[in-house]
């Protein structure tokens, strides 16, 4: 509807957009204030100048909220800070100096200052801090090689009253993983390492030999997260720790374990499992709460059998390069090369899957989607091979009419527009009706508008099956899809998305 002209000048059109009656003229104000108006104005100014009752007291109380917080709560806050930041709170006031000395100790060896990068200077600092601290311990983080190289000093630290009621104990790998000492030569840790086993909630143990005698009496009543990294242990002891010694365990990481050929998991509480070890066989017999089953690195001869994991949602990374490895769900077998043999059981709970392929092959993925029909997010990485070799016919394209693609997100790692990569991405762009995002991780040299426009054309974005699908580009980080190695990774919502 066209708005009619008025004779009110240039502002008339804007005025017509307003509500009726808004342009009524108000009666003019008197040029000289009346005596009544002057008296009323003075009364308002006087009242506004007077503070409301109790305002001074309220203002004093609002000046410093922190001073009213109890020492106990402030101490807990300080214990959550990194070591340096926690120590710096002492400069705030005399009260904060006392709080730092009595707060639960958060001691991370990596956060200590050094002189000429000498480990000995850090060790002296650890001894001094434990001797001076008046409170209990919350977290202790030390190099794993101290168990082998500084056993006496470690034993003295662990017996310190400053570590009473310790909640988190971590022995991290110091140096490169492949430079670690031979597992056969590892020595047992000092007995004091498990002095606070009844209060520990997180334990990361590395570079040691856990003997049967040391494991037998252990009971971690409050332990929720456990990692054994570069550890020698027997099958019997490993079973006792997980099934008997940790009744509330939720997150488990086993990396480079010696002495275990076959491990069976029966746990009513486990939610995340990460395996990077030399097991010949892993059997998950009963894990009713298990949500994440991750293989940062799979043994080339490893067989994984999942008998009961009704809530499993995240799986990977499934490698292609190990021809003898396989994963079994009931009677369905995923062989090396991502081949599905005897598909008699589907796993409808899996939503996120990470795989490695010799080249991007939609046939392989379609086979996997028949096994995981409710898959929503796929991470795929292509191994470095010649982009022109072994071209295949897409034998499974005829199955499209019988498959319901539920993929919402596809992430293609190391994308450089090879023949297989372009065909793979185009196939799913044209056939995934529920696709929301396809993310291509490219080299920094390809991160430019020309490359983006070229891929939009090559992947036929105008013909995409999902009109809401977006094509995104990121510069690929140098983390592998199989790079999950820490307990924190196992707890994340999507452990394959590094967020770099």
């Amino acid at each position: 509807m066209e708005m009619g002209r008025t004779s009110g000048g240039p502002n008339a059109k804007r005025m017509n957009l307003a509500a009726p009656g808004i342009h009524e003229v108000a009666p003019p104000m008197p040029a000289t204030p009346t005596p009544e108006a002057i008296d009323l104005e003075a009364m308002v100014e006087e009242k506004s100048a007077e503070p409301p009752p109790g305002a001074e007291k309220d203002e004093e109380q609002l000046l410093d909220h922190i001073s009213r917080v109890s020492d106990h709560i402030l101490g807990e806050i300080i214990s959550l800070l990194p070591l340096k930041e926690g120590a710096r709170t002492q400069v705030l006031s005399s009260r904060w100096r006392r709080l730092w000395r009595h707060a639960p100790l958060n001691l991370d060896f990596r956060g200590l200052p050094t002189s000429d990068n000498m480990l000995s200077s850090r060790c002296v600092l650890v001894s001094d801090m434990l001797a001076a601290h008046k409170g209990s311990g919350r977290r202790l983080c030390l190099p794993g090689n101290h168990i082998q190289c500084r056993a006496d000093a470690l034993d003295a630290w662990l017996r310190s009253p400053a570590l009473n009621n310790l909640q988190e104990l971590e022995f991290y790998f110091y140096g490169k993983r492949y430079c670690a000492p031979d597992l056969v030569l590892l020595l047992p840790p000092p007995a004091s390492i498990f002095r606070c086993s009844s209060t520990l909630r997180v334990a990361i143990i590395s570079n040691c030999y856990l003997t049967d005698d040391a494991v037998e009496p252990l009971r971690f009543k409050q332990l929720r997260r456990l990692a054994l990294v570069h550890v020698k242990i027997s099958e019997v002891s490993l079973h006792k720790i997980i099934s008997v010694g940790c009744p509330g365990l939720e997150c488990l990481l086993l990396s480079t374990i010696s002495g275990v050929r076959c491990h069976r998991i029966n746990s009513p509480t486990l939610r995340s499992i990460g395996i990077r070890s030399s097991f010949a066989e892993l059997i998950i017999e009963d894990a009713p709460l298990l949500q994440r089953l991750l293989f940062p690195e799979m043994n080339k001869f490893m067989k994984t059998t999942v008998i009961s994991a009704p809530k499993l949602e995240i799986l990977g990374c499934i490698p292609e390069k190990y021809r003898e490895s396989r994963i079994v769900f009931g009677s369905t077998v995923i062989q090396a090369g991502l081949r599905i043999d005897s598909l008699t059981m589907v796993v409808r709970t899996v939503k996120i899957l990470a795989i490695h392929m010799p080249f991007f092959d939609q046939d392989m993925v379609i086979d996997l989607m028949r096994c995981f029909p409710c898959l929503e997010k796929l991470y795929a990485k292509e191994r470095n091979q010649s982009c022109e070799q072994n071209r295949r016919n897409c034998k499974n394209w005829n199955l499209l009419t019988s498959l319901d693609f539920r993929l919402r997100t596809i992430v293609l790692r190391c994308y450089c527009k090879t023949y297989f990569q372009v065909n793979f991405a185009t196939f799913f762009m044209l056939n995934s009706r529920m696709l929301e995002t396809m993310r291509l991780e490219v080299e920094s040299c390809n991160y430019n508008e020309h490359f983006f426009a070229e891929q939009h054309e090559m992947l036929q974005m105008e013909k995409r099956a999902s009109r809401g699908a977006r094509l995104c580009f990121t510069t690929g980080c140098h983390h592998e899809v199989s790079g999950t190695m820490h307990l924190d990774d196992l707890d994340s919502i999507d452990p394959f998305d590094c967020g770099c």
Side-chain angles (χ1 to χ4, degrees):
M1 178 177 178
E2 185 176 348
M3 194 174 299
R5 293 181 179 273
T6 66
S7 58
N11 293 329
K13 186 173 182 179
R14 290 196 297 270
M15 291 170 63
N16 283 342
L17 296 175
I22 198 170
H23 307 298
E24 296 178 2
V25 180
M29 292 292 292
T32 305
T34 62
E36 292 81 0
I38 294 175
D39 293 341
L40 180 60
E41 189 174 320
M43 186 183 301
V44 171
E45 290 180 357
E46 182 180 355
K47 290 292 185 182
S48 61
E50 296 178 1
E56 294 181 359
K57 183 177 180 181
D58 292 342
E59 186 176 356
E60 292 177 359
Q61 292 177 348
L62 293 174
L63 287 177
D64 186 4
H65 289 288
I66 297 180
S67 295
R68 292 184 292 171
V69 179
S70 67
D71 288 356
H72 173 72
I73 295 177
L74 290 178
E76 290 294 329
I77 294 174
I78 292 174
S79 72
L80 297 174
L81 296 173
L83 183 63
K84 289 183 179 179
E85 282 69 20
R88 286 170 181 166
T89 61
Q90 298 178 88
V91 304
L92 297 177
S93 68
S94 57
R95 181 192 181 195
W96 284 88
R97 284 195 293 274
R98 176 173 53 83
L99 285 172
W100 159 251
R101 295 181 182 277
H102 291 81
L105 185 62
N106 181 0
L107 179 51
D108 190 332
F109 194 84
R110 294 166 293 192
L112 295 175
T114 60
S115 58
D116 299 326
N117 200 29
M118 295 294 292
L119 287 177
S120 57
S121 63
R122 293 189 185 185
C123 294
V124 172
L125 282 175
V126 171
S127 300
D128 292 344
M129 291 180 66
L130 292 175
H133 196 71
K134 306 297 183 182
S136 60
R138 188 186 74 83
R139 176 173 175 264
L140 178 64
C141 183
L142 298 171
N145 62 0
H146 277 28
I147 297 177
Q148 303 296 312
C149 304
R150 300 176 183 268
D152 293 339
L154 177 61
D155 184 62
W157 294 343
L158 293 171
R159 296 185 186 280
S160 170
L163 296 180
N164 290 344
N165 301 317
L166 191 67
Q167 298 179 34
E168 299 182 27
L169 177 62
E170 176 180 353
F171 290 96
Y172 62 88
F173 248 132
Y174 188 81
K176 296 182 179 180
R177 180 166 66 97
Y178 298 105
C179 296
D182 192 334
L183 285 164
V184 178
L185 304 178
L186 290 177
L187 301 174
S192 56
I193 193 172
F194 297 123
R195 181 174 71 87
C196 299
S197 59
S198 61
T199 60
L200 283 178
R201 299 181 62 85
V202 179
I204 301 176
I205 309 300
S206 67
N207 273 24
C208 64
Y209 170 33
L210 297 179
T211 64
D212 293 344
D213 292 339
V215 170
E216 178 65 32
L218 291 180
R219 295 295 181 272
F220 299 93
K221 298 179 180 179
Q222 299 189 48
L223 196 68
R224 297 293 179 265
R225 304 165 69 195
L226 172 65
L228 299 179
V229 182
H230 204 80
V231 167
K232 181 180 177 182
I233 188 172
S234 69
E235 291 184 13
V236 174
S237 292
L238 182 60
H239 176 76
K240 283 185 177 180
I241 286 181
I242 297 173
S243 301
V244 180
C246 306
L249 190 63
E250 298 177 357
C251 185
L252 173 66
L253 174 63
L254 301 176
S255 178
T256 319
I257 305 297
S258 172
V260 178
R261 180 172 178 80
C262 176
H263 181 53
R264 298 175 180 269
I265 291 181
N266 290 274
S267 172
T269 58
L270 268 177
R271 298 178 183 272
S272 301
I273 298 176
I275 303 293
R276 188 173 197 165
S277 193
S278 56
F279 294 161
E281 187 172 10
L282 173 68
I283 303 175
I284 300 177
E285 295 183 338
D286 186 22
L289 299 183
L290 185 64
Q291 298 174 347
R292 304 170 185 85
L293 179 56
L294 310 176
F295 300 96
E297 186 173 320
M298 182 180 287
N299 176 17
K300 62 181 179 180
F301 299 107
M302 184 173 179
K303 175 185 176 183
T304 301
T305 302
V306 180
I307 298 175
S308 178
K311 293 189 176 182
L312 183 63
E313 294 184 357
I314 302 175
L315 177 65
C317 175
I318 303 178
E320 182 277 339
K321 60 182 179 179
Y322 297 139
R323 296 294 179 182
E324 293 82 9
S325 62
R326 56 180 172 165
I327 300 177
V328 179
F329 290 91
S331 54
T332 296
V333 181
I334 304 177
Q335 293 278 12
L338 305 180
R339 293 181 295 104
I340 305 294
D341 291 347
S342 63
L343 179 61
T344 57
M345 173 183 173
V346 297
V347 185
R348 299 186 180 277
T349 58
V350 173
K351 301 293 193 301
I352 300 177
L353 177 67
I355 59 175
H356 280 174
M357 297 184 289
F359 51 88
F360 283 153
D361 185 352
Q362 49 266 39
D363 286 345
M364 288 184 180
V365 175
I366 290 175
D367 279 342
L368 288 173
M369 291 178 65
R370 294 168 62 196
C371 181
F372 308 111
C374 298
L375 191 64
E376 296 181 359
K377 192 169 186 178
L378 173 69
Y379 289 87
K381 182 178 179 181
E382 182 182 59
R383 284 204 294 146
N384 296 326
Q385 290 194 0
S386 173
C387 63
E388 297 297 325
Q389 67 176 352
N390 297 326
R391 294 195 181 190
R392 296 185 180 182
N393 295 321
C394 295
K395 60 182 180 181
N396 284 324
W397 282 30
N398 295 329
L399 296 173
L400 288 178
T401 55
S402 61
L403 282 178
D404 180 18
F405 281 92
R406 299 191 183 186
L407 278 174
R408 298 180 183 275
T409 304
I410 299 176
V411 181
L412 304 184
R413 297 266 163 86
C414 302
Y415 183 87
C416 53
K417 68 174 185 179
T418 65
Y419 171 84
F420 293 112
Q421 291 174 344
V422 172
N423 276 5
F424 184 91
T426 303
F427 173 79
F428 284 101
M429 188 63 73
L430 298 180
N431 293 285
S432 300
R433 297 183 180 87
M434 300 179 67
L435 188 66
E436 297 174 357
T437 303
M438 179 176 289
R439 191 171 83 207
L440 308 181
E441 296 188 357
V442 302
E443 294 291 336
S444 56
C445 60
N446 289 329
Y447 194 77
N448 55 71
E449 293 298 332
H450 174 74
F451 185 86
F452 301 162
E454 182 184 38
Q455 298 315 299
H456 272 266
E457 182 178 353
M458 295 179 70
L459 272 54
Q460 305 179 43
M461 287 293 293
E462 296 78 8
K463 299 180 182 179
R464 60 191 184 273
S466 171
R467 303 312 301 171
R470 298 181 301 115
L471 185 60
C472 302
F473 298 85
T474 62
T475 52
C477 68
H478 295 288
H479 297 119
E480 295 283 342
V481 177
S482 59
T484 304
M485 188 61 186
H486 199 274
L487 279 174
D488 292 337
D489 299 319
L490 302 184
D491 275 343
S492 62
I493 297 175
D494 185 351
F496 305 113
D497 189 359
C498 67
C500 290

